[in-house]
Amino acid sequence: PGDRLFVINAYSMGAWATGTTTGTAMTRIAMVKNTGPDLDKIVDTLTHFGPGYDYIVTGYPPFLKHLRDRLDKVGFAWGAYRLRGMVGGEGMTEALRDYLEERFVEVRSGYGASDLTIGLGAETGFTVWLRKRLANDDELRRELLGESEQRLPMIFHYSPLETYLEINERGELLCTINTKSCLQPKLRYNVGDEALLYSHKRVKDLIRRDAARWADCRRATADEKMSLPLLFLFGRKDSTISYMGANLYPQDVEYGLYGQN
């Protein structure tokens, strides 16, 4: 119930529009406290309001790692609370998800851009299962990603009725916002991300080719009815990476390495 849902918004409030936008959006469904990425405030909030709520903590993936470590350090009563993580702004490894889900009920990622919309795509149990499967299933990986692709993309469902997505000749994602609620929609906007698009049916048909793989999929996603198309997102085409909302370029890494000598 909405009156028992409590969102702790740990996105930076002011550095990017995402923090403010997320806080405003969440007030439609839950009680929200906009703490920003302040560990002490979040610990105080959880302690003050107690375990009687279903908590969702929103923020960048590395911040949730810092939060887990801090709560462990102060002896937080994880067993009495129900915490979920909702992350975005940058990619997340499955190793980090596994680490977080040792404490959180679940952690799911969303895809968006401050200069477009925060709701371009979202993870589900199926997309998480598929991403983990691609890490170890060479046959399925070749079918979906190609022979030479070594990167493991984030995978999201998206709604074509809300966001029309295309891939240009350079493999970059083009976004057109369809919703009437957007007062100034951008057409075929290029965020600079490299991606692939697949229909849900195409991916499911490939999974069904192997009986054991299909059985594993059904066990992991038995309760899900989602059939929206899938976005495979590799990140910035120019190799830029994001950490806590800051863009890091290859030259920055080079300067840092040489600067140690």
Side-chain angles (χ1 to χ4, degrees):
D3 60 346
R4 305 311 298 170
L5 184 61
F6 195 125
V7 174
I8 298 176
N9 181 18
Y11 282 112
S12 177
M13 303 301 293
W16 302 103
T18 302
T20 303
T21 304
T22 299
T24 301
M26 287 297 179
T27 57
R28 301 178 183 179
I29 62 169
M31 180 163 62
V32 178
K33 184 171 183 181
N34 297 303
T35 62
D38 189 316
L39 291 171
D40 292 333
K41 285 183 180 179
I42 295 174
V43 173
D44 288 345
T45 298
L46 292 169
T47 303
H48 178 77
F49 285 92
Y53 293 90
D54 290 300
Y55 290 94
I56 297 176
V57 184
T58 69
Y60 294 108
F63 182 77
L64 256 64
K65 193 268 183 188
H66 298 323
L67 178 61
R68 183 218 142 139
D69 292 345
R70 171 62 69 84
L71 291 173
D72 281 352
K73 185 177 180 179
V74 300
F76 182 69
W78 286 100
Y81 284 76
R82 298 177 302 280
L83 269 70
R84 289 174 169 81
M86 189 176 75
V87 299
E90 58 195 70
M92 175 173 59
T93 66
E94 290 307 309
L96 176 56
R97 191 198 308 273
D98 291 342
Y99 181 75
L100 293 173
E101 289 185 347
E102 290 174 359
R103 300 289 187 273
F104 289 82
V105 176
E106 63 181 2
V107 177
R108 293 291 181 264
S109 181
Y111 174 57
S114 294
D115 42 352
L116 269 174
T117 179
I118 63 172
L120 286 171
E123 285 186 325
T124 62
F126 172 70
T127 67
V128 173
W129 174 88
L130 178 59
R131 189 174 191 235
K132 290 179 181 291
R133 185 79 191 196
L134 286 177
N136 301 297
D137 190 326
D138 293 338
E139 179 185 357
L140 186 61
R141 189 182 186 113
R142 284 193 298 270
E143 292 277 6
L144 291 172
L145 305 183
E147 290 284 348
S148 60
E149 182 58 68
Q150 298 299 312
R151 296 169 298 173
L152 187 64
M154 297 291 293
I155 304 175
F156 304 98
H157 284 289
Y158 73 95
S159 172
L161 296 178
E162 294 286 329
T163 310
Y164 183 73
L165 302 181
E166 306 168 77
I167 305 296
N168 66 15
E169 66 280 1
R170 296 184 298 278
E172 297 167 338
L173 185 67
L174 305 180
C175 309
T176 299
I177 306 300
N178 299 329
T179 176
K180 293 180 180 179
S181 62
C182 183
L183 299 179
Q184 194 175 19
K186 295 180 174 67
L187 306 179
R188 308 193 77 205
Y189 187 77
N190 189 342
V191 181
D193 284 332
E194 190 175 1
L196 295 170
L197 300 176
Y198 281 103
S199 70
H200 186 264
K201 181 180 184 303
R202 168 65 173 158
V203 174
K204 278 293 185 71
D205 287 345
L206 289 173
I207 295 171
R208 284 191 183 97
R209 288 185 181 180
D210 183 283
R213 179 200 295 153
W214 177 237
D216 185 47
C217 177
R218 294 187 66 184
R219 280 194 300 271
T221 62
D223 298 330
E224 290 195 9
K225 307 298 182 183
M226 183 75 72
S227 60
L228 290 172
L230 296 160
L231 165 66
F232 287 55
L233 188 76
F234 294 100
R236 289 291 188 261
K237 180 74 171 180
D238 62 2
S239 299
T240 303
I241 61 172
S242 178
Y243 182 78
M244 298 288 283
N247 290 329
L248 302 176
Y249 297 90
Q251 295 90 337
D252 299 325
V253 178
E254 182 181 3
Y255 292 147
L257 291 173
Y258 286 127
Q260 299 300 314
N261 297 327

